[in-house]
Amino acid sequence: NQSEDKLIEYMDELEFLAFTAGATVDKRFTQRLTQPDSKTFVGKGKMEEIRDYIKEQKIGTVIFDDELSPSQLKNLEREMEVKVLDRTNLILDIFAQRAQTSYARTQVELAQYQYLLPRLSRMWSHLDKQKGGIGMRGPGETEIETDRRIIRDRITLLKDKLKVIDKQMGTQRNNRGKMVRTALVGYTNVGKSTLMNALSKSDVFAENKLFATLDTTVRKVVIGNLPFLLTDTVGFIRKLPTQLVESFKSTLDEVREADLLIHVVDISHESFEDHINSVNEILQEIDAHQKPMIMVFNKIDDFSYEKKDEDDLMPGSHKNISLEEWKKTWMAKSKFPTVFISALTKENFPEMKKMIYDEVHRIHISRFPYND
Ligand code: GDP
């Protein structure tokens, strides 16, 4: 059943997030409710089941695949007597771990304080002995006892600091001249950095973890004598915390101000179509959805096709459809130039480069009509 599949995929993704944050997942619990319980998110019976398991197995942390309200978080921690994290907190924690530059750290810190502010009263006062670990890095760890006022002051300060950097970055962008600007966008872990490396022969950090890239990297790329700028940006994810979208304004400005978006998709991933939708939603949120775009379906080397018997054919299942069929469908469906590649083996690179060249060239000559 399809919604059952979705549930498993969501849990897979959450487990991958937990892994990226440095945790190992011991067990998964799911529950079907028409609406989450307003006090404890899960129902009473489920909560007891989870609590018993925690006690038996001496589990240290429970992670929920949604943003919990401040009171849900407080109630759950009281009931379960362990650290409770929600999806937002987990993502913020990964971002905190990954932030390399002072700019990225400032952005993440701001997002963390904004998350923390309404949740201040909960705090892990009863868990003092277990400090450290996931969800405790950054402000959660050091400022636990500080009051709201101090945090508000800190938020104001960070916002001011970001405003200054945003301005500097805006100037920097303006100083990059009239070269056509392209930005890689896509769900996290689809291969943006790998593609960036392959195109610019640079050495951008690529890793099989989520959000390897937090800071934008801008590189000059030349295809067929035509130079243009290529930016690698932070990966998108389903339910990207709004605090992050806000504080990553300048990073996302790279996308907003790009002339051309290169939307990278991991076709080997079961839910790649959901990923495309998530990315498009975020593009819409930051008002970048009407830009020229190229669709690059990556990881074709890793695509596996397992046609099942008619009987247990799962409608819509990714693996029942061959790569050729996917190609045909998406070439017909997409209103953008579409190409299928492998950033790893460089299969179909000439085709992709030609496509990028054509688009960049088109934008370039619309800008310099007499120069070409
Ligand atoms: P990003 O988060 O979108 O920047 O993704 P990365 O470039 O960091 O890549 C995520 C993972 O996917 C890494 O382990 C890469 O080696 C892997 N990867 C990237 N491109 C390909 C590809 O074409 N084929 C396969 N099999 N793996 C790839």
Side-chain angles (χ1 to χ4, degrees):
N1 150 330
Q2 235 184 324
S3 71
E4 206 66 47
D5 283 350
K6 280 271 168 297
L7 207 63
I8 294 171
E9 282 162 32
Y10 289 166
M11 290 304 252
D12 282 346
E13 184 178 270
L14 190 68
E15 183 162 340
F16 195 20
L17 280 168
F19 162 75
T20 302
T24 34
V25 173
D26 193 80
K27 191 173 169 68
R28 300 173 175 194
F29 293 89
T30 53
Q31 184 176 34
R32 220 167 265 289
L33 291 174
T34 40
Q35 229 178 321
D37 188 281
S38 64
K39 290 203 180 71
T40 51
F41 193 74
V42 290
K44 199 162 185 296
K46 184 59 70 175
M47 195 178 62
E48 277 161 13
E49 190 189 329
I50 301 173
R51 194 181 47 204
D52 290 348
Y53 187 82
I54 289 170
K55 291 240 161 77
E56 261 164 45
Q57 303 294 323
K58 303 200 169 36
I59 301 295
T61 309
V62 184
I63 305 174
F64 286 81
D65 190 37
D66 239 306
E67 186 165 317
L68 300 168
S69 74
S71 67
Q72 284 171 335
L73 205 50
K74 203 159 98 183
N75 295 334
L76 283 167
E77 280 195 336
R78 190 185 301 132
E79 286 292 331
M80 296 187 171
E81 298 183 324
V82 289
K83 204 188 315 169
V84 174
L85 294 184
D86 61 10
R87 185 184 173 87
T88 303
N89 198 347
L90 184 63
I91 293 176
L92 287 172
D93 196 77
I94 296 171
F95 271 62
Q97 255 178 291
R98 305 242 137 187
Q100 298 285 329
T101 61
S102 99
Y103 179 56
R105 277 196 294 270
T106 310
Q107 287 174 312
V108 176
E109 204 184 334
L110 174 62
Q112 282 183 310
Y113 276 123
Q114 280 167 336
Y115 172 84
L116 190 65
L117 190 59
R119 295 170 176 82
L120 254 194
S121 58
R122 83 174 172 120
M123 283 312 123
W124 304 273
S125 44
H126 56 293
L127 292 171
D128 268 350
K129 278 171 247 109
Q130 300 171 223
K131 273 190 191 166
I134 307 172
M136 306 293 267
R137 275 175 280 255
E141 186 175 42
T142 51
E143 313 277 28
I144 267 173
E145 254 71 62
T146 40
D147 62 17
R148 286 204 170 81
R149 189 184 51 78
I150 295 177
I151 291 195
R152 277 205 198 93
D153 287 351
R154 187 84 190 133
I155 287 177
T156 312
L157 198 90
L158 290 168
K159 277 188 176 161
D160 287 347
K161 197 168 154 191
L162 281 180
K163 240 183 247 159
V164 175
I165 311 178
D166 283 347
K167 216 169 177 179
Q168 282 168 357
M169 292 182 85
T171 317
Q172 255 176 41
R173 279 196 297 274
N174 287 335
N175 289 344
R176 277 188 219 142
K178 291 280 181 285
M179 254 191 274
V180 173
R181 273 146 49 174
T182 63
L184 291 165
V185 295
Y187 210 72
T188 179
N189 217 42
V190 293
K192 295 181 295 301
S193 306
T194 311
L195 188 58
M196 174 99 174
N197 284 338
L199 280 171
S200 66
K201 300 185 184 72
S202 65
D203 223 349
V204 176
F205 187 52
E207 202 186 355
N208 191 22
K209 280 194 175 173
L210 300 175
F211 307 112
T213 319
L214 276 196
D215 294 294
T216 41
T217 330
V218 185
R219 292 267 187 287
K220 188 172 133 187
V221 178
V222 183
I223 300 180
N225 284 332
L226 180 62
F228 59 93
L229 296 172
L230 180 65
T231 307
D232 188 8
T233 56
V234 56
F236 297 164
I237 195 161
R238 187 175 69 90
K239 299 189 203 156
L240 188 70
T242 48
Q243 299 93 334
L244 278 176
V245 178
E246 273 167 42
S247 62
F248 272 74
K249 181 187 166 298
S250 194
T251 310
L252 294 170
D253 275 348
E254 291 284 352
V255 177
R256 211 177 284 125
E257 292 176 16
D259 303 299
L260 171 70
L261 302 181
I262 301 175
H263 185 162
V264 187
V265 179
D266 174 1
I267 184 113
S268 76
H269 198 290
E270 185 86 25
S271 337
F272 79 89
E273 290 188 303
D274 287 344
H275 293 176
I276 294 175
N277 291 335
S278 295
V279 170
N280 285 336
E281 274 166 31
I282 294 169
L283 288 177
Q284 197 148 4
E285 229 175 282
I286 63 170
D287 206 23
H289 57 294
Q290 275 163 339
K291 288 186 184 295
M293 189 148 87
I294 294 177
M295 297 293 291
V296 176
F297 289 85
N298 188 31
K299 304 198 191 179
I300 54 170
D301 62 290
D302 206 21
F303 183 89
S304 56
Y305 171 46
E306 307 157 7
K307 186 137 186 99
K308 296 227 173 82
D309 296 337
E310 283 300 322
D311 300 341
D312 54 31
L313 199 100
M314 278 191 291
S317 172
H318 168 254
K319 301 235 153 67
N320 280 321
I321 299 169
S322 72
L323 191 57
E324 283 316 307
E325 284 172 272
W326 277 124
K327 277 188 192 175
K328 248 193 269 157
T329 313
W330 271 93
M331 301 262 191
K333 187 154 101 177
S334 174
K335 55 179 177 169
F336 303 110
T338 302
V339 65
F340 288 71
I341 63 144
S342 162
L344 219 55
T345 67
K346 306 209 169 174
E347 203 178 330
N348 283 345
F349 257 45
E351 206 181 324
M352 176 189 64
K353 281 184 166 173
K354 172 85 172 55
M355 209 170 259
I356 297 174
Y357 176 87
D358 286 346
E359 286 299 301
V360 172
H361 188 250
R362 193 179 51 73
I363 297 165
H364 182 83
I365 55 172
S366 70
R367 212 172 266 179
F368 304 105
Y370 309 111
N371 275 357
D372 200 62

